[in-house]
Amino acid sequence: MEGIEHRVIKANGINMHVAEKGKGPVILFLHGFPELWYTWRHQITAFASLGYRALAPDLRGFGETEAPDDASTYTSLDVVGDLIALLDVVAADQDQVFVVGHDWGALIAWWLCMFRPDRVKALVNMSVAFNPRNPNMKPLEGLRALYGDDYYICRFQEPGVIEAEFREMGYERVLKGFFTYRDPLPLLIPKGKYFGQPDTPISLPSWFSEEDCKYYLSQYEKKGFTGALNYYRNINLNWQLTAPWTGSKIKVPVKFIVGDQDLTYNGPGIKDYLHKGGLKKNVPLLEQVVVMEGVAHFLQEENPDEVNKHIHDFFNKF
């Protein structure tokens, strides 16, 4: 963690915290849920030493970045607006940057490439594949029909409800539960019946230490989960706002990486979509789909060396 600099930038009307290290071509790292800039700690140090400038913001609502109260200000347009404004300040000398995304950060990276392909040199995205907009089905209704009301995204919808459950369970258990989740089946969180028995400790893997958990915990204890959950609460609004991009393709060079134990890789139809030309049709400049064996959702933390090599090998071409 030595040498990582932290600063707060005014971007798109909010104060945005960004961690950075290194000099050279910029790589913008975009985290997911319940992650923070810290998720990219292994990548920041590695790519700074390889001659890049690594930038990892806390996204709107997360960590030390401002969390607006209005839940409807966490849409794809707001968050991509934050990133463009951030790049205009911290990477003003570079017309285009490399981007790496994971989980919600991957979704945001797809949108960034869709809305502003002129700003992205190449993209490595992880876990969440590009899913073209279906004009005939609101996404939340589709998820509810497929997985039921206990599906985590459905359970996150009602403001205040899941926050109260998380508070009652304790943020430490919530964070450990998410980060250690390795079941490739859909994540269901029926009320009071998830992440094991409350009095049973959750054992941590070698790649996620008590010290790591303490950092995440310190940030979520300060801010709570509402800002992070607001991304899920805008799924249908994003669908509505992105109507003009129906049928749009991602037109930047892409490498996609996923773990074979990741629930996102084991959903209905996903493997066929990734391996039988579906993703390539929607992302014409897709160069490779990498499936990492024995790795679950948080692959950049679980197996950073292999992930870093995949990123470096791809960006090195440009």
Side-chain angles (χ1 to χ4, degrees):
M1 304 289 279
E2 276 181 29
I4 297 178
E5 295 178 4
H6 297 267
R7 54 176 167 152
V8 175
I9 307 290
K10 193 78 172 173
N12 197 24
I14 63 168
N15 290 314
M16 201 161 186
H17 165 250
V18 61
E20 60 181 308
K21 187 175 183 181
K23 287 186 169 56
V26 166
I27 305 178
L28 177 66
F29 291 95
L30 304 176
H31 69 78
F33 175 90
E35 303 172 308
L36 300 164
W37 75 269
Y38 185 84
T39 298
W40 301 109
R41 60 199 177 281
H42 306 297
Q43 286 69 41
I44 294 170
T45 50
F47 283 92
S49 70
L50 289 166
Y52 291 90
R53 183 167 167 224
L55 296 175
D58 282 331
L59 296 175
R60 171 181 291 243
F62 285 87
E64 294 178 44
T65 288
E66 204 170 322
D69 292 331
D70 182 354
S72 68
T73 61
Y74 290 76
T75 69
S76 53
L77 296 175
D78 293 299
V79 181
V80 171
D82 296 344
L83 298 177
I84 293 297
L86 178 70
L87 290 173
D88 285 345
V89 173
V90 299
D93 59 330
Q94 299 186 26
D95 294 336
Q96 292 187 310
V97 299
F98 294 113
V99 180
V100 178
H102 175 252
D103 187 78
W104 263 104
L107 270 174
I108 292 156
W110 294 125
W111 283 321
L112 174 62
C113 292
M114 193 187 290
F115 303 155
R116 294 300 304 272
D118 58 304
R119 301 298 294 269
V120 181
K121 198 178 294 183
L123 167 67
V124 173
N125 246 357
M126 297 189 276
S127 292
V128 179
F130 177 67
N131 204 10
R133 183 182 185 275
N134 177 356
N136 303 312
M137 168 81 77
K138 290 184 176 180
L140 195 57
E141 283 61 27
L143 291 169
R144 193 167 269 128
L146 200 56
Y147 300 120
D149 290 335
D150 283 340
Y151 187 56
Y152 76 105
I153 292 174
C154 302
R155 290 271 280 118
F156 286 177
Q157 293 305 310
E158 190 65 40
V161 173
I162 199 75
E163 287 96 326
E165 287 183 33
F166 284 178
R167 275 196 302 277
E168 189 180 340
M169 182 181 283
Y171 287 174
E172 183 177 343
R173 187 169 191 87
V174 170
L175 289 164
K176 286 179 177 178
F178 278 119
F179 277 104
T180 60
Y181 187 82
R182 292 189 78 78
D183 192 335
L185 297 173
L187 176 54
L188 304 178
I189 53 171
K191 185 168 171 34
K193 294 181 184 168
Y194 50 99
F195 301 151
Q197 297 300 320
D199 50 355
T200 311
I202 296 175
S203 58
L204 299 183
S206 59
W207 54 268
F208 188 76
S209 67
E210 289 288 350
E211 190 182 345
D212 296 328
C213 187
K214 272 180 190 157
Y215 180 78
Y216 285 105
L217 184 59
S218 71
Q219 295 299 310
Y220 281 98
E221 279 181 338
K222 270 189 240 172
K223 193 160 247 152
F225 278 86
T226 298
L229 293 165
N230 281 340
Y231 286 73
Y232 295 94
R233 292 167 183 160
N234 280 283
I235 285 176
N236 276 356
L237 183 54
N238 286 330
W239 175 85
Q240 185 182 320
L241 292 171
T242 54
W245 288 274
T246 302
S248 284
K249 298 183 187 304
I250 301 296
K251 293 179 178 172
V252 305
V254 171
K255 183 177 195 172
F256 183 72
I257 311 173
V258 66
D260 67 352
Q261 303 297 305
D262 194 333
L263 73 172
T264 63
Y265 183 59
N266 291 279
I270 294 291
K271 290 174 186 172
D272 280 354
Y273 176 66
L274 291 178
H275 300 302
K276 294 186 177 175
L279 182 61
K280 177 74 174 174
K281 183 181 164 194
N282 295 309
V283 185
L285 300 179
L286 176 70
E287 292 205 11
Q288 193 182 3
V289 172
V290 175
V291 181
M292 290 173 57
E293 290 184 12
V295 178
H297 186 63
F298 299 97
L299 60 175
Q300 77 275 38
E301 294 191 80
E302 186 175 346
N303 196 339
D305 293 344
E306 191 178 337
V307 167
N308 293 351
K309 185 176 187 319
H310 282 305
I311 297 170
H312 185 241
D313 287 351
F314 186 56
F315 288 166
N316 218 21
K317 298 177 179 181
F318 304 91

